[in-house]
Amino acid sequence: MTSEPVHPVDPPGGDPVALARVVARQRAELERLRDLAASAAVQERAKGVLMAVTGCSPEAAHEELLRRAAEGNRTLLEQCWLTLGALPPAKEQPAGTPPASAAPPAAGSWDVAPTGTVELAKILGHIGQDLVRVGTPQELAWCLLQHIAPETDADAVMLYRRLPEGGLELIGHAGVDPTFAAQWRYVPPVSGVAALDALRSGEPRWLEDLSGDGDRYLIIGESPERWPSRAWLPVPIGDSAHVALGVWRGRGGTFEPRERRLLRAVSRLCAGRLRAFDPGQERTGEAVTQTVQAVFDALPGAAIMLTPLRAASGEVEDYRIEAATSEAVDMFGRSGREMAGRQVLESYPALAGEPLWQGCLQALETGVPFESEPFVHQEVVGEVPVTATYSVRAAPLGEGLLVTWLRHRPAERQEQRLADVQRLGKLGWANWNLVTQEISWSEQTYAVLGRPPAERPLALERLPDLALPEDAGPLTHAITELVRHARPFDVPFRIDTTEGVRHLRLVAEAVTAPDGTTVEVHGFVQDLTRQRSAELALVESERAMLLQRGILQAERALAARLQHALLPLPIKPVRLAGLRIEVAYLPAQSGVHVGGDWFSAIELPDEHALFVVGDVAGHGVDAVATMAQLRFSAKGMVTTGSSLTGVLGRLNYLLLHSRDSQTTATMVLARYDPVRHVLAWAQAGHLPPLLVRRGEVRYLERPGGMLLGASAAPVFEAAELRLEPGDRLLLYTDGLVERTGESLDAGLDRLAEAVRGQGCGASGSLDALLDTMLAEEGRDDVCVLDIRLPLEDVTDVTDAPDTDD
């Protein structure tokens, strides 16, 4: 005996409904295993009988059973019961019992035990013997009822066959009156039918509480209280089940485990008998088509039933029209039954590859109905091109498609286009006949004016009542001029709706009689709320831009004055301690705030010169304040004798303990001794100075020093450089070399190349260098100190002791 393994199920913690489902599944699996065990026991007993009679081996006995079953067009289980039933002598029937061909013997005449596999096998053995004698599904239903009634209290048996269209057809019944059977001969393919559910799932459906089961299933029969408990079992024929066995009882309550096992076995036992019936009893494809066509003849509208014709690969090559409604007419004039049997591409080859064709394929694959937009289709009929506009819907039905369509007449299509234009343009037409007092509005006019379509349209002179008070006067004047003097108008006005104020536009003109009297007015009203809102937003945006522009201009003017006050620039190069000094400061091109770049070039009391270039992070007032603090602090500390590294250390402490402790800055600090021609310098995270000497351009190696405000214990170092006549030294901020998308090293190389291209001596002007380096838009602040030791005195130099003043 073989069986499928039962996988353990972890019970969901604490959920009684989930636990009940687990118990139900395990109980159903146990019943299935018991049925398998009973079937296996019957087969083994039948094999043992053949081995005892013929002396063959177990394998030969099994093959003999299979051969006899095939010859008799029976299932293996049926053949086993026939083999076992032929052994014992037939029991004598009680007096008055009809012959087996008319009515099978009642199960109550058998001496069988109520429980156990052996007793169940005996019951099934008697049923199997009598099933051989039935010849129709109707006789099968009576045979089953008389055998299972004493065992299960069954009062009626129903046999339903599933139709290709998806519904059910009653093929046999017992225990119900003919009127009831005629009323429920066909069950449509609707959801919630227990018999259909059993066929789809392959598992029985036990309806033991119709008051609760009625919420889930459609109960067959107008009086469900007559049979309060029912069972629907699939009858397996081959790999699937197409017939459902219904067992109805006049009493309520559950089906006992023994009754369930018996009914499951009975449903399998009668499968072979149903398969052995006359093939004429089964519906052929032609009969199905005739049934579908008969249904389609009674349906209104244009519809056809398509069956896909597939190639060996499974790909759909064409469709065959199985049935068509009487109102279905193609462009060739064929209608209804004349279209049935034709193939789509043979009759309408232009459809191949079209969106409609692809939509039908998609509906077949996904099971989701396809609905097309209106499209134009053209065919050549008698060498004359015929064009028509269609809307098509294709819905899956079984293995085929149910296709419905609507052919749009030109007038209807034109009306639809007009309605679409009004809807998309948010406008509606209106007409007032001043002679007959007839008024007609389009549907969209009601929507634009915010009025219910059920209300009567307003008279022309009453339209100003809808407008806001301030707009009613101009609209009234325009309507009066139109009626009296036939003057057309185009007047904007506003109305108040539940959605807010709506901006409208009314355009109208007059139709006059020969004497010039206005007799009719027609025009349209349009909703311009969205456009007007956009215009108002644009006006508001322009007003804000103008205001912002004024603020920017004021800020720029203030920035220019602040820059001049904090960083006064000399008009010409100046001389400090024998050096020629040229200064350039250019604020950032983007934004209006003063930056943090700054410089200082002053002569000290000991006739030395101090040069400083710094860059405070950020822009705005805070950066300016920090810049001024650093600039004047550095100047004061050096003037009072502090060393360069000491100054940097104190400035670092100052930034760390300032109001905004997150501020950082870079700086180059240099002191020049004119007697020794030595420049001592230190730096704090700043770019290296650039030295030009005898045509050679190189960057000075930076002494140690880190960003100001970045560490509480920084280390600063100093370096010295002896200047020679003709030397040129550039101190600058990063705005001179930075470019978007370029590395800092590339910018430094570009600066060195630009300086090298200027040559040496006084010929290399600072303005020309700036023009070369600052061609890119959107640059940052730039500050440059151009320091030169002349070969000889220069005449265009201003003797100024201090560029800070």
Side-chain angles (χ1 to χ4, degrees):
M1 180 178 68
T2 61
S3 64
E4 298 178 358
V6 179
H7 299 286
V9 179
D10 295 332
D15 190 349
V17 177
L19 290 173
R21 292 175 180 170
V22 172
V23 172
R25 287 198 301 268
Q26 292 179 345
R27 183 178 297 166
E29 181 65 17
L30 181 59
E31 291 180 0
R32 187 183 68 83
L33 294 176
R34 287 176 177 173
D35 293 342
L36 288 175
S39 300
V42 172
Q43 294 182 26
E44 293 300 323
R45 289 177 60 194
K47 286 167 56 176
V49 169
L50 287 183
M51 292 169 59
V53 174
T54 63
C56 63
S57 64
E59 291 79 8
H62 182 69
E63 294 296 331
E64 179 63 20
L65 288 174
L66 292 176
R67 184 186 64 78
R68 293 182 183 183
E71 289 179 354
N73 197 15
R74 294 183 289 269
T75 64
L76 179 59
L77 187 59
E78 289 176 324
Q79 185 60 47
C80 291
W81 286 121
L82 290 176
T83 302
L84 293 175
L87 285 179
K91 286 194 175 185
E92 189 174 333
Q93 302 260 359
T97 303
S101 59
S109 62
W110 307 324
D111 186 14
V112 293
T115 58
T117 304
V118 176
E119 289 75 10
L120 181 62
K122 290 181 179 180
I123 298 173
L124 295 176
H126 288 289
I127 296 176
Q129 289 178 356
D130 291 336
L131 287 182
V132 178
R133 300 181 179 88
V134 301
T136 64
Q138 185 67 20
E139 294 179 4
L140 176 60
W142 278 106
C143 178
L144 292 178
L145 177 60
Q146 296 199 23
H147 278 285
I148 66 176
E151 306 296 333
T152 62
D153 292 336
D155 294 289
V157 168
M158 310 287 282
L159 289 173
Y160 273 103
R161 182 200 308 272
R162 181 164 52 184
L163 297 175
E165 296 87 352
L168 294 174
E169 179 190 15
L170 184 63
I171 60 174
H173 59 87
V176 298
D177 57 84
T179 303
F180 179 89
Q183 291 175 345
W184 293 92
R185 184 170 184 81
Y186 293 101
V187 178
V190 297
S191 60
V193 177
L196 278 174
D197 193 14
L199 291 177
R200 294 191 189 103
S201 63
E203 291 294 333
R205 292 295 178 259
W206 311 97
L207 279 62
E208 299 163 327
D209 179 14
L210 292 190
S211 60
D213 294 329
D215 297 335
R216 294 185 300 145
Y217 295 114
L218 173 66
I219 304 301
I220 296 177
E222 297 180 357
S223 302
E225 63 274 3
R226 181 178 175 184
W227 294 284
S229 61
R230 311 178 184 191
W232 289 101
L233 301 100
V235 179
I237 303 177
D239 296 331
S240 59
H242 300 285
V243 176
L245 168 62
V247 179
W248 295 6
R249 302 193 302 186
R251 67 172 179 85
T254 61
F255 287 86
E256 299 297 330
R258 174 182 177 276
E259 295 172 338
R260 292 193 178 194
R261 291 199 301 272
L262 174 62
L263 294 180
R264 285 175 180 268
V266 168
S267 66
R268 292 194 297 269
L269 188 60
C270 61
R273 193 69 264 165
L274 286 171
R275 187 174 55 195
F277 287 151
D278 184 3
Q281 298 282 342
E282 305 218 3
R283 289 185 170 269
T284 62
E286 182 180 357
V288 172
T289 302
Q290 292 176 357
T291 302
V292 175
Q293 183 61 59
V295 174
F296 271 48
D297 289 340
L299 290 178
I304 57 176
M305 180 69 184
L306 298 181
T307 297
L309 304 177
R310 300 181 182 272
S313 61
E315 181 180 359
V316 176
E317 294 182 328
D318 203 347
Y319 295 92
R320 182 176 60 251
I321 302 175
E322 298 291 352
T325 60
S326 58
E327 296 183 18
V329 180
D330 65 5
M331 59 179 52
F332 297 100
R334 295 188 291 258
S335 63
R337 291 177 177 264
E338 295 177 347
M339 301 170 63
R342 298 181 181 275
Q343 295 187 14
V344 173
L345 291 185
E346 290 181 357
S347 302
Y348 321 102
L351 290 177
E354 292 295 317
L356 175 59
W357 182 270
Q358 300 299 330
C360 290
L361 291 178
Q362 181 180 354
L364 278 178
E365 293 175 358
T366 63
V368 179
F370 164 75
E371 296 185 9
S372 74
E373 296 292 335
F375 65 95
V376 177
H377 181 69
Q378 185 178 36
E379 291 282 359
V380 178
V381 181
E383 299 182 357
V384 177
V386 178
T387 303
T389 303
Y390 296 91
S391 294
V392 179
R393 185 179 190 274
L397 181 60
E399 299 296 328
L401 288 175
L402 177 62
V403 180
T404 57
W405 70 90
L406 175 65
R407 182 171 181 173
H408 301 279
R409 292 181 304 203
E412 294 176 349
R413 189 64 181 146
Q414 193 68 21
E415 292 180 1
Q416 182 62 39
R417 289 186 181 132
L418 179 59
D420 291 341
V421 169
Q422 294 185 74
R423 177 177 52 82
L424 296 174
K426 293 186 177 297
L427 58 86
W429 60 264
N431 190 80
W432 293 270
N433 191 314
L434 304 184
V435 178
T436 64
Q437 300 302 316
E438 293 181 1
I439 306 174
S440 58
W441 286 0
S442 69
E443 182 180 350
Q444 192 64 25
T445 303
Y446 288 92
V448 171
L449 293 176
R451 297 182 64 83
E455 295 186 2
R456 293 176 55 85
L458 289 178
L460 181 62
E461 62 273 12
R462 290 197 55 197
L463 281 181
D465 297 343
L466 301 178
L468 295 180
E470 55 267 33
D471 295 341
L475 183 58
T476 302
H477 177 74
I479 292 175
T480 302
E481 291 295 313
L482 175 69
V483 174
R484 292 180 179 178
H485 307 292
R487 293 177 182 172
F489 66 80
D490 184 345
V491 177
F493 65 100
R494 294 167 294 169
I495 64 174
D496 194 4
T497 67
T498 56
E499 299 175 355
V501 175
R502 187 176 295 177
H503 295 263
L504 305 182
R505 168 196 183 200
L506 179 61
V507 180
E509 63 180 7
V511 178
T512 60
D515 61 355
T517 304
T518 301
V519 296
E520 190 174 349
V521 174
H522 56 254
F524 67 87
V525 60
Q526 185 176 13
D527 186 356
L528 300 177
T529 304
R530 188 171 297 176
Q531 295 92 317
R532 184 60 178 160
S533 299
E535 292 173 359
L536 293 177
L538 180 60
V539 171
E540 186 64 27
S541 177
E542 290 177 350
R543 183 181 297 122
M545 289 177 59
L546 292 175
L547 179 61
Q548 185 67 21
R549 181 180 299 175
I551 295 175
L552 292 178
Q553 289 175 350
E555 289 184 358
R556 284 197 178 109
L558 177 61
R561 290 195 298 270
L562 186 59
Q563 171 194 343
H564 179 72
L566 294 177
L567 297 174
L569 297 175
I571 300 176
K572 293 183 178 181
V574 297
R575 173 170 297 182
L576 291 175
L579 299 176
R580 179 181 180 274
I581 311 300
E582 192 171 358
V583 181
Y585 177 81
L586 300 175
Q589 289 180 326
S590 60
V592 298
H593 300 295
V594 177
D597 289 20
W598 57 280
F599 70 92
S600 213
I602 63 174
E603 187 169 327
L604 299 175
D606 57 1
E607 297 184 353
H608 289 193
L610 174 66
F611 303 107
V612 186
V613 171
D615 185 1
V616 177
H619 293 80
V621 177
D622 291 340
V624 172
T626 303
M627 176 263 289
Q629 188 178 28
L630 294 178
R631 185 166 183 263
F632 292 113
S633 297
K635 175 182 176 183
M637 292 178 188
V638 174
T639 302
T640 56
S642 298
S643 65
L644 300 180
T645 56
V647 170
L648 291 178
R650 293 185 180 90
L651 293 179
N652 181 77
Y653 181 86
L654 181 66
L655 281 184
L656 287 176
H657 294 81
S658 64
R659 180 180 58 184
D660 185 3
S661 60
Q662 303 299 321
T663 303
T664 58
T666 64
M667 183 184 299
V668 170
L669 194 64
R671 180 169 184 158
Y672 177 67
D673 181 357
V675 177
R676 298 172 49 233
H677 300 290
V678 173
L679 182 75
W681 66 288
Q683 63 88 26
H686 204 85
L687 297 176
L690 180 65
L691 176 66
V692 183
R693 176 175 291 175
R694 294 189 295 275
E696 179 185 358
V697 179
R698 66 181 178 88
Y699 289 100
L700 300 182
E701 184 176 351
R702 296 189 304 172
M706 64 185 307
L707 194 71
L708 296 178
S711 173
V715 176
F716 298 105
E717 299 176 352
E720 291 186 351
L721 172 69
R722 182 178 295 276
L723 294 182
E724 299 178 1
D727 282 355
R728 181 184 185 186
L729 186 68
L730 290 178
L731 306 181
Y732 52 91
T733 58
D734 54 7
L736 182 65
V737 295
E738 284 183 339
R739 278 189 181 180
T740 303
E742 182 182 67
S743 66
L744 186 59
D745 290 340
L748 293 174
D749 293 341
R750 185 163 41 82
L751 174 61
E753 187 63 30
V755 173
R756 189 178 294 109
Q758 287 187 327
C760 59
S763 60
S765 71
L766 182 57
D767 291 339
L769 178 63
L770 294 177
D771 292 339
T772 302
M773 294 296 296
L774 305 180
E776 183 182 353
E777 296 293 330
R779 57 170 173 77
D780 199 358
D781 300 320
V782 174
C783 183
V784 181
L785 277 181
D786 188 351
I787 304 171
R788 307 190 190 197
L789 180 59
L791 293 172
E792 56 187 11
D793 290 342
V794 182
T795 58
D796 61 340
V797 175
T798 301
D799 291 329
D802 193 341
T803 60
D804 283 351
D805 301 327

